[in-house]
Amino acid sequence: MIDSPSPLPDARQARLVFLGTKDFALPSFEYLFDQHFQLLALITQPDRPQGRRQEIIPARIRLAAEKRGLPVHQPEDLNAPEGTALLQSLKPDLLVTVAYGQILKPATLASATFGGVNLHGSLLPKFRGAAPVARAMQSGDAETGVTVIQMSSQVDAGGILGMLSTAIKPDETAASLEARLGELGAPLLARALTDFIEGRTRPEHQDKSLATRAPKLTKEESFVNWSLSAALVDRFIRAMNPWPLARSRFIPADGRQGVNVLFHVSEVADMNLSQYPEAGVVVQADKSGIAVSCGDGQAVLLKTIQTEGRKPLPAIEWARGSRVITGDRFDSSNQTGE
């Protein structure tokens, strides 16, 4: 960990470089700018092809910085010599990172007088890693939050400068929860870095014995296990939104060709399915959604469904187009239809 230098009398005198890419970073960037912190530049990841059409779509935070007249830099590797040279030319007092997308090496952090401060989307030391919001939801935690840390050589292991918790709502997806955490984290970040720069607080060590991991999500783990309880299936579907989205294969009972489908929104259905012992069977399809049996004799109500390669639809519209009837089923063990 980088030792703290002599404090400054006013944090707004500190020269800050903001590092962020994902939408989670946007509220913090805008808050610091609007609160008149001295932002020298935004460093964000290079624009990448996105979606089926592989379009180059600039990150929202890049557009926000350009709108405010702030210089934007997009190095391929900030730890490379050209990245180091960029930071040396900016002469920052502090690097502020939020969902930037690259691990910074100690030499990179040392380019700033106060090192780096990071806003992370969990209650550290729980869920260190790339997908803290989804992993907290998938694990069934009742609450999560945001933590500001002084950056160190180990991922998400630096000393804690501030923390704020919030309950996970039963109807939230990982996407909506992450957006809410981004808004909650912005003022926390401003307070924490102010107290740190002005010398009113020192980082508190994390208890590494309590650390858990939050690895990046993969498509390979996104298949729904219908034999689980309805509560677990619902939680899984919400945790996989916005990416990679929970998925299964729809298999019509009349012998028609099955299709791979993605699930966006769900909830636990208010019904008892003791007469439907097999998991993954459609037991009801009406304007409220498509109810699918789970392993505990209850059901999940699918609200928004997407045939792979097409646009998402309200479940009732998807059911009409796919001619869904009671007895059709969803099966995650056979994604190819072979």
Side-chain angles (χ1 to χ4, degrees):
M1 183 178 295
I2 300 171
D3 293 331
S4 298
S6 299
L8 297 178
D10 184 351
R12 285 168 176 77
Q13 296 176 356
R15 295 167 57 85
L16 310 181
V17 172
F18 195 100
L19 285 67
T21 305
K22 293 178 62 179
D23 286 352
F24 179 72
L26 183 57
S28 290
F29 171 79
E30 293 181 330
Y31 190 89
L32 292 179
F33 187 93
D34 292 343
Q35 293 296 312
H36 306 293
F37 284 85
Q38 189 179 176
L39 296 177
L40 306 176
L42 168 70
I43 296 179
T44 187
Q45 290 293 307
D47 300 330
R48 313 285 189 190
Q50 300 181 43
R52 294 179 60 206
R53 298 181 179 179
Q54 292 293 280
E55 296 178 282
I56 302 294
I57 302 175
R60 291 176 62 205
I61 194 170
R62 173 190 158 184
L63 299 177
E66 291 174 343
K67 180 181 178 180
R68 290 163 171 78
L70 199 69
V72 176
H73 304 280
Q74 296 180 281
E76 193 68 39
D77 182 1
L78 192 59
N79 295 310
E82 55 270 27
T84 302
L86 169 62
L87 290 176
Q88 289 175 344
S89 69
L90 294 171
K91 300 179 181 179
D93 291 313
L94 181 71
L95 304 180
V96 181
T97 73
V98 186
Y100 172 52
Q102 183 181 349
I103 297 171
L104 303 185
K105 294 182 178 179
T108 304
L109 293 173
S111 65
T113 307
F114 288 83
V117 166
N118 174 249
L119 175 69
H120 184 74
S122 80
L123 299 174
L124 290 171
K126 293 191 70 175
F127 302 114
R128 295 175 177 177
V133 179
R135 296 303 183 186
M137 182 169 288
Q138 185 180 2
S139 297
D141 285 21
E143 68 173 10
T144 186
V146 284
T147 306
V148 179
I149 59 171
Q150 182 185 29
M151 298 178 70
S152 69
S153 58
Q154 294 180 305
V155 177
D156 300 329
I160 294 174
L161 296 169
M163 182 180 292
L164 182 64
S165 64
T166 184
I168 298 177
K169 300 176 183 179
D171 60 344
E172 286 187 300
T173 64
S176 62
L177 176 56
E178 183 169 285
R180 188 162 65 85
L181 290 176
E183 295 290 345
L184 288 173
L188 174 70
L189 175 63
R191 290 194 301 271
L193 69 85
T194 295
D195 289 343
F196 177 55
I197 292 171
E198 295 178 4
R200 287 193 296 273
T201 186
R202 295 187 62 83
E204 297 183 5
H205 290 290
Q206 296 185 37
D207 185 347
K208 64 181 181 180
S209 68
L210 301 177
T212 59
R213 305 305 301 171
K216 184 179 179 180
L217 299 173
T218 67
K219 287 186 178 180
E220 289 72 23
E221 66 179 299
S222 65
F223 303 111
V224 178
N225 181 355
W226 299 101
S227 66
L228 298 176
S229 69
L232 287 175
V233 171
D234 171 58
R235 184 191 307 156
F236 180 82
I237 291 172
R238 290 185 289 111
M240 294 296 113
N241 179 333
W243 193 92
L245 291 175
R247 59 195 64 215
S248 191
R249 186 168 181 83
F250 173 65
I251 303 176
D254 61 9
R256 284 178 291 130
Q257 180 68 35
V259 293
N260 295 337
V261 294
L262 311 174
F263 308 118
H264 290 249
V265 182
S266 65
E267 63 185 45
V268 176
D270 185 17
M271 58 176 65
N272 188 325
L273 302 180
S274 57
Q275 66 271 39
Y276 297 101
E278 185 180 358
V281 174
V282 175
V283 296
Q284 180 178 300
D286 57 24
K287 63 181 181 180
S288 63
I290 299 174
V292 182
S293 58
C294 297
D296 62 346
Q298 293 186 308
V300 160
L301 192 64
L302 304 173
K303 308 287 285 186
T304 306
I305 304 179
Q306 176 183 0
T307 299
E308 195 169 48
R310 301 183 181 179
K311 66 179 183 179
L313 295 171
I316 187 60
E317 291 185 26
W318 185 89
R320 281 197 295 264
S322 301
R323 291 181 283 162
V324 176
I325 61 172
T326 301
D328 291 344
R329 64 188 178 92
F330 291 93
D331 183 2
S332 295
S333 66
N334 184 356
Q335 288 292 300
T336 64
E338 299 175 351

